[in-house]
Amino acid sequence: MTVQQRATLDDVARLAGVSAKTVSRVYSHRDKVAPQTVERVLSAGKRLRFRPNTIARTLRRGGASSTVGFIMGELRNPFYYTIAAGIEKELAGAGYTLVVATTDDSEEGEERVADTLLAQRVGALMLVPVGEDQSYLEGERQLGTPVIAIDRPARNLVADAVVLDNRAGAYEATRHLLGHGHRRIAYVCNPASVYTQTERCRGYREAMAESGLTDARLEILLDDTSVPPDVVVRQLLEREDPPTAIFAGNNRMCVGALRAMRDVGATPALIGFDDFDTADILGVTVVTHDPVELGRRAAQLAIERMADPAGFTTRIELPTRLLVRGSGERPPAS
């Protein structure tokens, strides 16, 4: 196939019989051009399949584009792309375009991807922080680019944030298991060092401590996502004195727990943090929330900051709720 060259502004001007400056004005401020001239230029542009480079034009003026960047983790995780859906819907309503990039949940990928998006002069940058330090964004923030952290607050950076009330959600789930007679309740998560998990573990520990049941051996806190979640839970269930209940710190670990329970033939009570597809069919009790709302509120903040970069920094904490479906209500084995 022969690839044709894209039509330029000069090509449209020649076909329409006007100057290049007039064509530029039609695509940027057509209200200042005679209607018959606008019609002639647009008709020529359509015949040539011309698309004005709005980003380049904006950058020449030294401004930011109408594009907003979102940096998320692993693309396969439904939590991330559901957040992106909420962002996109809110931005589209305000005339902005969303560009999504992924880090694969690696610290190295985060800064590299951020640099790539910022080089395109995005109007605002939203991200799910992965690294231990986001101070590399401070210079850009001082230049007026809004930075909004989602799900986890940024570290070493003054930035807006939209997060969940992770501690309260985990506390409620653990109390629920305690209320059904469980005393050996394991908390399993990987990775464990991220903000969401430290907060969820804190809620779990508070509930256990109130009942005088603190036991570090029941906490499986890993920071190696290459370890399959089902392997982690299987090892826990194969102990001489396994837990009667498991609280899985995220959706991947909860699915892994289901596989391990099937393989081992065990039926401990199970609660997962984060809902997932088929959880309702499988009867899995979860701590649920609204990822679309996370994205929507973050997009609202981005729009507000683009209009007023000097506004006060905001932290929004969204609630969670326990969704009872059966797995978290099983009593301890006699």
PDB file of all heavy atoms in Angstrom, residues 62-78:
ATOM      1  N   GLY A  62       2.936  28.608  23.763  1.00  0.00           N
ATOM      2  CA  GLY A  62       3.500  28.429  25.089  1.00  0.00           C
ATOM      3  C   GLY A  62       2.528  27.888  26.105  1.00  0.00           C
ATOM      4  O   GLY A  62       2.803  27.890  27.306  1.00  0.00           O
ATOM      5  N   GLY A  63       1.363  27.421  25.661  1.00  0.00           N
ATOM      6  CA  GLY A  63       0.358  26.940  26.594  1.00  0.00           C
ATOM      7  C   GLY A  63       0.340  25.433  26.707  1.00  0.00           C
ATOM      8  O   GLY A  63       1.198  24.742  26.167  1.00  0.00           O
ATOM      9  N   ALA A  64      -0.638  24.926  27.442  1.00  0.00           N
ATOM     10  CA  ALA A  64      -0.813  23.483  27.591  1.00  0.00           C
ATOM     11  C   ALA A  64      -1.891  23.017  26.622  1.00  0.00           C
ATOM     12  O   ALA A  64      -2.723  23.794  26.169  1.00  0.00           O
ATOM     13  CB  ALA A  64      -1.212  23.146  29.031  1.00  0.00           C
ATOM     14  N   SER A  65      -1.883  21.745  26.320  1.00  0.00           N
ATOM     15  CA  SER A  65      -2.877  21.212  25.396  1.00  0.00           C
ATOM     16  C   SER A  65      -4.172  20.910  26.142  1.00  0.00           C
ATOM     17  O   SER A  65      -4.242  21.002  27.367  1.00  0.00           O
ATOM     18  CB  SER A  65      -2.341  19.937  24.748  1.00  0.00           C
ATOM     19  OG  SER A  65      -2.337  18.889  25.695  1.00  0.00           O
ATOM     20  N   SER A  66      -5.202  20.549  25.378  1.00  0.00           N
ATOM     21  CA  SER A  66      -6.479  20.181  25.999  1.00  0.00           C
ATOM     22  C   SER A  66      -6.499  18.693  26.332  1.00  0.00           C
ATOM     23  O   SER A  66      -7.561  18.119  26.564  1.00  0.00           O
ATOM     24  CB  SER A  66      -7.638  20.520  25.058  1.00  0.00           C
ATOM     25  OG  SER A  66      -7.493  19.825  23.828  1.00  0.00           O
ATOM     26  N   THR A  67      -5.321  18.096  26.357  1.00  0.00           N
ATOM     27  CA  THR A  67      -5.183  16.676  26.693  1.00  0.00           C
ATOM     28  C   THR A  67      -4.771  16.537  28.151  1.00  0.00           C
ATOM     29  O   THR A  67      -3.937  17.291  28.647  1.00  0.00           O
ATOM     30  CB  THR A  67      -4.128  16.015  25.791  1.00  0.00           C
ATOM     31  OG1 THR A  67      -4.516  16.140  24.432  1.00  0.00           O
ATOM     32  CG2 THR A  67      -3.966  14.542  26.129  1.00  0.00           C
ATOM     33  N   VAL A  68      -5.343  15.565  28.829  1.00  0.00           N
ATOM     34  CA  VAL A  68      -4.999  15.273  30.225  1.00  0.00           C
ATOM     35  C   VAL A  68      -4.413  13.863  30.287  1.00  0.00           C
ATOM     36  O   VAL A  68      -4.947  12.937  29.673  1.00  0.00           O
ATOM     37  CB  VAL A  68      -6.238  15.378  31.134  1.00  0.00           C
ATOM     38  CG1 VAL A  68      -5.912  14.919  32.554  1.00  0.00           C
ATOM     39  CG2 VAL A  68      -6.761  16.816  31.145  1.00  0.00           C
ATOM     40  N   GLY A  69      -3.320  13.708  30.999  1.00  0.00           N
ATOM     41  CA  GLY A  69      -2.668  12.407  31.101  1.00  0.00           C
ATOM     42  C   GLY A  69      -3.060  11.655  32.359  1.00  0.00           C
ATOM     43  O   GLY A  69      -3.275  12.260  33.418  1.00  0.00           O
ATOM     44  N   PHE A  70      -3.159  10.343  32.246  1.00  0.00           N
ATOM     45  CA  PHE A  70      -3.426   9.478  33.399  1.00  0.00           C
ATOM     46  C   PHE A  70      -2.449   8.317  33.376  1.00  0.00           C
ATOM     47  O   PHE A  70      -2.391   7.560  32.413  1.00  0.00           O
ATOM     48  CB  PHE A  70      -4.866   8.951  33.375  1.00  0.00           C
ATOM     49  CG  PHE A  70      -5.173   7.931  34.437  1.00  0.00           C
ATOM     50  CD1 PHE A  70      -4.750   8.112  35.744  1.00  0.00           C
ATOM     51  CD2 PHE A  70      -5.892   6.770  34.128  1.00  0.00           C
ATOM     52  CE1 PHE A  70      -5.027   7.155  36.728  1.00  0.00           C
ATOM     53  CE2 PHE A  70      -6.177   5.819  35.098  1.00  0.00           C
ATOM     54  CZ  PHE A  70      -5.746   6.014  36.401  1.00  0.00           C
ATOM     55  N   ILE A  71      -1.666   8.199  34.432  1.00  0.00           N
ATOM     56  CA  ILE A  71      -0.688   7.116  34.554  1.00  0.00           C
ATOM     57  C   ILE A  71      -1.230   6.095  35.544  1.00  0.00           C
ATOM     58  O   ILE A  71      -1.468   6.404  36.712  1.00  0.00           O
ATOM     59  CB  ILE A  71       0.668   7.644  35.071  1.00  0.00           C
ATOM     60  CG1 ILE A  71       1.196   8.730  34.133  1.00  0.00           C
ATOM     61  CG2 ILE A  71       1.675   6.513  35.197  1.00  0.00           C
ATOM     62  CD1 ILE A  71       2.457   9.401  34.650  1.00  0.00           C
ATOM     63  N   MET A  72      -1.455   4.875  35.054  1.00  0.00           N
ATOM     64  CA  MET A  72      -1.983   3.840  35.928  1.00  0.00           C
ATOM     65  C   MET A  72      -1.046   2.641  35.927  1.00  0.00           C
ATOM     66  O   MET A  72      -0.040   2.621  35.224  1.00  0.00           O
ATOM     67  CB  MET A  72      -3.389   3.436  35.482  1.00  0.00           C
ATOM     68  CG  MET A  72      -3.462   2.763  34.128  1.00  0.00           C
ATOM     69  SD  MET A  72      -5.186   2.378  33.706  1.00  0.00           S
ATOM     70  CE  MET A  72      -4.939   1.280  32.316  1.00  0.00           C
ATOM     71  N   GLY A  73      -1.377   1.647  36.725  1.00  0.00           N
ATOM     72  CA  GLY A  73      -0.510   0.479  36.857  1.00  0.00           C
ATOM     73  C   GLY A  73      -0.774  -0.570  35.804  1.00  0.00           C
ATOM     74  O   GLY A  73      -0.887  -0.269  34.617  1.00  0.00           O
ATOM     75  N   GLU A  74      -0.925  -1.796  36.247  1.00  0.00           N
ATOM     76  CA  GLU A  74      -1.071  -2.923  35.332  1.00  0.00           C
ATOM     77  C   GLU A  74      -2.373  -2.837  34.551  1.00  0.00           C
ATOM     78  O   GLU A  74      -3.461  -2.727  35.113  1.00  0.00           O
ATOM     79  CB  GLU A  74      -1.026  -4.227  36.143  1.00  0.00           C
ATOM     80  CG  GLU A  74      -0.980  -5.475  35.308  1.00  0.00           C
ATOM     81  CD  GLU A  74      -0.981  -6.714  36.179  1.00  0.00           C
ATOM     82  OE1 GLU A  74      -1.615  -6.697  37.249  1.00  0.00           O
ATOM     83  OE2 GLU A  74      -0.357  -7.705  35.784  1.00  0.00           O
ATOM     84  N   LEU A  75      -2.274  -2.906  33.219  1.00  0.00           N
ATOM     85  CA  LEU A  75      -3.438  -2.741  32.360  1.00  0.00           C
ATOM     86  C   LEU A  75      -4.483  -3.826  32.580  1.00  0.00           C
ATOM     87  O   LEU A  75      -5.673  -3.606  32.382  1.00  0.00           O
ATOM     88  CB  LEU A  75      -2.988  -2.732  30.893  1.00  0.00           C
ATOM     89  CG  LEU A  75      -4.046  -2.368  29.853  1.00  0.00           C
ATOM     90  CD1 LEU A  75      -4.597  -0.974  30.108  1.00  0.00           C
ATOM     91  CD2 LEU A  75      -3.465  -2.463  28.446  1.00  0.00           C
ATOM     92  N   ARG A  76      -4.062  -5.013  33.008  1.00  0.00           N
ATOM     93  CA  ARG A  76      -5.007  -6.116  33.179  1.00  0.00           C
ATOM     94  C   ARG A  76      -5.871  -5.982  34.419  1.00  0.00           C
ATOM     95  O   ARG A  76      -6.856  -6.708  34.576  1.00  0.00           O
ATOM     96  CB  ARG A  76      -4.239  -7.449  33.231  1.00  0.00           C
ATOM     97  CG  ARG A  76      -3.570  -7.841  31.927  1.00  0.00           C
ATOM     98  CD  ARG A  76      -2.667  -9.040  32.109  1.00  0.00           C
ATOM     99  NE  ARG A  76      -1.556  -8.736  33.016  1.00  0.00           N
ATOM    100  CZ  ARG A  76      -0.628  -9.610  33.386  1.00  0.00           C
ATOM    101  NH1 ARG A  76      -0.707 -10.862  32.969  1.00  0.00           N
ATOM    102  NH2 ARG A  76       0.366  -9.251  34.180  1.00  0.00           N
ATOM    103  N   ASN A  77      -5.505  -5.069  35.311  1.00  0.00           N
ATOM    104  CA  ASN A  77      -6.251  -4.912  36.556  1.00  0.00           C
ATOM    105  C   ASN A  77      -7.512  -4.085  36.289  1.00  0.00           C
ATOM    106  O   ASN A  77      -7.431  -2.913  35.933  1.00  0.00           O
ATOM    107  CB  ASN A  77      -5.381  -4.212  37.602  1.00  0.00           C
ATOM    108  CG  ASN A  77      -6.002  -4.278  38.992  1.00  0.00           C
ATOM    109  OD1 ASN A  77      -7.218  -4.284  39.148  1.00  0.00           O
ATOM    110  ND2 ASN A  77      -5.158  -4.318  40.006  1.00  0.00           N
ATOM    111  N   PRO A  78      -8.705  -4.678  36.455  1.00  0.00           N
ATOM    112  CA  PRO A  78      -9.948  -3.948  36.177  1.00  0.00           C
ATOM    113  C   PRO A  78     -10.122  -2.703  37.031  1.00  0.00           C
ATOM    114  O   PRO A  78     -10.810  -1.761  36.626  1.00  0.00           O
ATOM    115  CB  PRO A  78     -11.041  -4.982  36.455  1.00  0.00           C
ATOM    116  CG  PRO A  78     -10.404  -6.011  37.328  1.00  0.00           C
ATOM    117  CD  PRO A  78      -8.962  -6.053  36.929  1.00  0.00           C
TER     118      PRO A  78
END
